[in-house]
Amino acid sequence: MKKVLVYYPFPLAKQTNSGSKLRPHEMYKAFCEWGAKEGIEVILISGTSAEREKQFCQLQNEGKLTNLLFCYMENQTIPLWLTDPGHKPQKPLIDWKVLRYLKKHHVPVGVFYRDVYWKFDELYPLKGWKKKIMQTVYRWEERFYEKYCDVIFLPSMEMGKYVSIRRPMVDLPPGGKRKTIPLKQRDNNVSKAIYVGGINNDDYGLFLLLDALEIVNQEKTIVHLTVVCRKNEYDALPVSKKERIKQLNVEVKHISGEELDRLYAQMDFALIPRIRSEYNDFSVPVKLVEYLSNGLPIVATSCLAQKRFIEEDGYGIICDDNKHSMAEAIRDMIEYQDGYRNNIVRTFVEKHSWVARVEKVKKTLMGEDE
């Protein structure tokens, strides 16, 4: 039986409350679904370095690492040697052993390279000698992938210019889930819009969105906004910002999971108002595919990676990161949302589900044409 190895040099998170924790779970589930359909066994190695070494040795001894078609792996936002508790590796050579074994047996390897925030002084929190040491370790990790991996998967191709690994690069943004989207009764007088995400940093763009909302609703209310955020972030807002939210009749909720899914079902469209920056230009927010999984067209700012994703298949409207451009985009969305929604229904799951991401990994590593 043909096999595929999924290799995660870290323990899988029990709580998937962020994109970086959610992705490994969703990719593994998608690999299992794909493997069951294709008659391919999917083998997972993950955990602490000691757990990975135990799993690897057992699989080797049992002869289960034969007939491997390819290996898909991911890194984290810290170098792979430091993912053990306390960042102290128990078995520091295990990743080298696994990758060397795969290379010796001519098994193609692709790694999803998650982030390069450590290359941005304004984003990387460490300073002084600690920063220099950690950046050196990150560069070692880049060299390690260059030596042992055949393909580097990235959240977006726009990130590629910041990655110093001389290997082919392929975009593999977050995937979406297949959901049954209920038909909703539209209110022709007031549309319902939603923003889900951070509110504790100006880069997230919530208060740019509020400025645009004020313009849109200046003569009469034509859109009602619901904001879903973490309670601690809302509690930490200055009183003046909380007052502004109340003045604009914005509803604030602190929900997730099924509660959030039920709320999505009531909405007409969603918003990603991030301020453009060098970093935001190449990042792809997980909320983008979450909105689309729930059938919601998107109004988003012109950060390059999300702009390309949305425009390529007609999933929404792009605006500049200023209040007048965003207000115009919201008005256009209210008028034309049905067309964007139809585009989502027609192509999103087929092109952008997690299983579609697995298919892309397979085609890339097996040298098959798209």
Side-chain angles (χ1 to χ4, degrees), residues 207 210 213 224-225 227 234 237-252:
F207 290 90
L210 295 185
L213 182 69
H224 177 267
L225 175 64
V227 170
Y234 180 75
L237 283 180
V239 173
S240 59
K241 290 190 172 182
K242 288 180 184 173
E243 281 301 315
R244 178 148 177 72
I245 290 171
K246 287 176 185 172
Q247 286 167 4
L248 294 170
N249 295 316
V250 173
E251 192 170 358
V252 178

Side-chain angles (χ1 to χ4, degrees), residues 328-341:
E328 184 180 353
I330 290 171
R331 288 193 192 100
D332 287 345
M333 178 58 77
I334 291 168
E335 186 171 353
Y336 301 115
Q337 60 186 277
D338 289 343
Y340 297 116
R341 192 185 300 277

